[in-house]
Amino acid sequence: MSSLPETINATSPVAANPPVTYLMRDGELVEYADANLHVLSTTLKYGVGVFEGFRAYWSEDDNELYAFRVADHMRRLVDSMRVVEIDGPQDIEMLSEQLLSLVRANNLRSNLHMRAQVFVDSSDGKPDDTGPATVFMAAIPMNNYFGASGLDVQISSWARLSDRSMPPRIKSIANYQNGRLALLESRRNGYDAALLLTEDGHVAEGAGYNVFMVRQGKLCTPPATESILEGITRDSVLHLARTELGLDVDLRPIDRTELYSADEIFVCGSAAEVNHVTSVDRTPIGNGTAGELTRRIQDLYQKAVLGRAAADQNWALPVYAG
């Protein structure tokens, strides 16, 4: 097997020089270039599909790769299939082992971003097709998703989609057009990232990441009923804040103007990890650096992904042990 690069930038093209040898289709290893889907499948024609994004972290001290909350991600993948009515596999343990075996087959020993994607691969697909389902998995070396620490954020003119129109709490491929438009708008306007409001004007989430705010000494985040993805990293942060720091986190609607007077703001997600916000609509947050509570949560999260915090939760799964 050819040698692999230690890292790859999140925005780097990979097709011309793929950093891995194999992807996986329905439990079988396939060459990178052969991981294809027909252009007339239901997924390509109508955007019917769900996915999960995972992270894994290499520890030089342990000479081990730790995959973070794999079973929880696969559980959400199964839930997503049920909500959008895709007849895909339901065995969480089997799906988890397939992902780990893919990593081992590529002999990956650096920080990774991994994906499990479920497509409706029907021939000349119709919008109401629920199968057959094809599951592709990938594992690609990746370090910092944003490429920088600290984000200048814009409140998007695009509203976050509502549960009355699309199911925002799951990772549906179609949902990501909503965040994509917000992100493109923010980049055109010179920002790093975007936050979206609900139709009622409350803060929902970013373009692929949840948001937390520290205001008047209180850690707050929108509840699941504010059109957010029920983020696994968000859940990790909530657990760490409550159990490791003893904080009573306030799950409540957040108004846009509260962000402007916040002491600290950070976003979090599997790819995004925990990253502080330096400004919102050019209004500085704090002194422009990560606040004290944000830094403590960042530190705890980096320990948790290696099994050194919240170890009793068994979140960090050693890939090569045994």
Side-chain angles (χ1 to χ4, degrees):
M1 185 177 297
S2 60
S3 60
L4 300 171
E6 284 297 313
T7 60
I8 185 169
N9 186 280
T11 59
S12 296
V14 297
N17 184 25
V20 297
T21 301
Y22 302 112
L23 275 66
M24 183 168 283
R25 176 175 180 152
D26 295 332
E28 300 292 331
L29 294 174
V30 296
E31 295 286 337
Y32 186 97
D34 295 332
N36 300 318
L37 194 69
H38 199 280
V39 295
L40 293 182
S41 65
T42 293
T43 289
L44 267 294
K45 289 171 70 176
Y46 302 107
V48 181
V50 295
F51 73 100
E52 281 296 316
F54 314 71
R55 288 298 296 256
Y57 294 86
W58 178 253
S59 170
E60 290 289 351
D61 292 340
D62 301 341
N63 195 36
E64 180 59 272
L65 182 69
Y66 292 96
F68 191 62
R69 298 194 67 169
V70 172
D72 293 321
H73 278 283
M74 291 303 185
R75 188 171 295 109
R76 188 173 62 181
L77 184 71
V78 169
D79 289 343
S80 296
M81 284 188 278
R82 291 171 179 164
V83 171
V84 302
E85 299 187 52
I86 294 176
D87 299 328
Q90 307 286 302
D91 190 328
I92 293 168
E93 184 176 351
M94 177 195 72
L95 291 167
S96 300
E97 182 51 40
Q98 286 177 358
L99 181 65
L100 298 181
S101 67
L102 172 65
V103 174
R104 296 184 193 113
N106 283 295
N107 194 31
L108 295 168
R109 298 175 185 271
S110 63
N111 294 348
L112 306 178
H113 186 257
M114 305 173 291
R115 293 177 70 88
Q117 305 172 106
V118 184
F119 302 124
V120 179
D121 196 13
S122 48
S123 177
D124 195 13
K126 302 183 297 297
D128 58 340
D129 287 335
T130 61
T134 292
V135 182
F136 274 108
M137 296 185 186
I140 307 292
M142 186 180 80
N143 274 336
N144 188 293
Y145 174 77
F146 289 107
S149 177
L151 304 172
D152 293 315
V153 171
Q154 180 185 32
I155 302 295
S156 179
S157 65
W158 294 96
R160 174 66 174 162
L161 55 87
S162 163
D163 197 55
R164 295 185 64 188
S165 57
M166 298 274 279
R169 61 174 25 92
I170 65 168
K171 290 184 76 70
S172 167
I173 292 172
N175 287 0
Y176 276 70
Q177 180 70 0
N178 184 220
R180 175 180 176 271
L181 291 171
L183 179 60
L184 290 173
E185 177 188 47
S186 69
R187 294 286 174 82
R188 282 196 304 272
N189 293 328
Y191 294 86
D192 301 312
L195 292 178
L196 295 96
L197 306 179
T198 66
E199 293 285 357
D200 294 332
H202 295 145
V203 176
E205 65 174 31
Y209 27 87
N210 295 115
V211 60
F212 283 77
M213 171 186 74
V214 180
R215 188 165 185 261
Q216 298 177 351
K218 188 80 171 180
L219 182 62
C220 312
T221 194
T225 50
E226 289 291 343
S227 294
I228 70 167
L229 173 73
E230 291 183 309
I232 289 172
T233 307
R234 172 183 177 272
D235 179 73
S236 303
V237 168
L238 289 172
H239 180 84
L240 293 168
R242 289 164 172 162
T243 61
E244 302 286 337
L245 300 179
L247 298 178
D248 183 15
V249 184
D250 201 355
L251 304 182
R252 65 166 178 83
I254 295 174
D255 289 329
R256 173 180 186 163
T257 51
E258 289 188 273
L259 297 179
Y260 300 145
S261 59
D263 303 314
E264 306 176 35
I265 299 173
F266 63 87
V267 298
C268 66
S270 294
E273 301 169 296
V274 179
N275 205 336
H276 71 280
V277 172
T278 59
S279 70
V280 177
D281 292 340
R282 305 301 185 201
T283 300
I285 304 302
N287 63 5
T289 62
E292 179 183 355
L293 183 53
T294 300
R295 289 195 303 271
R296 294 173 70 186
I297 289 174
Q298 286 175 324
D299 180 64
L300 281 170
Y301 182 73
Q302 290 302 315
K303 291 177 179 176
V305 299
L306 297 174
R308 290 159 172 70
D312 62 311
Q313 300 300 303
N314 297 315
W315 285 343
L317 183 64
V319 175
Y320 294 106

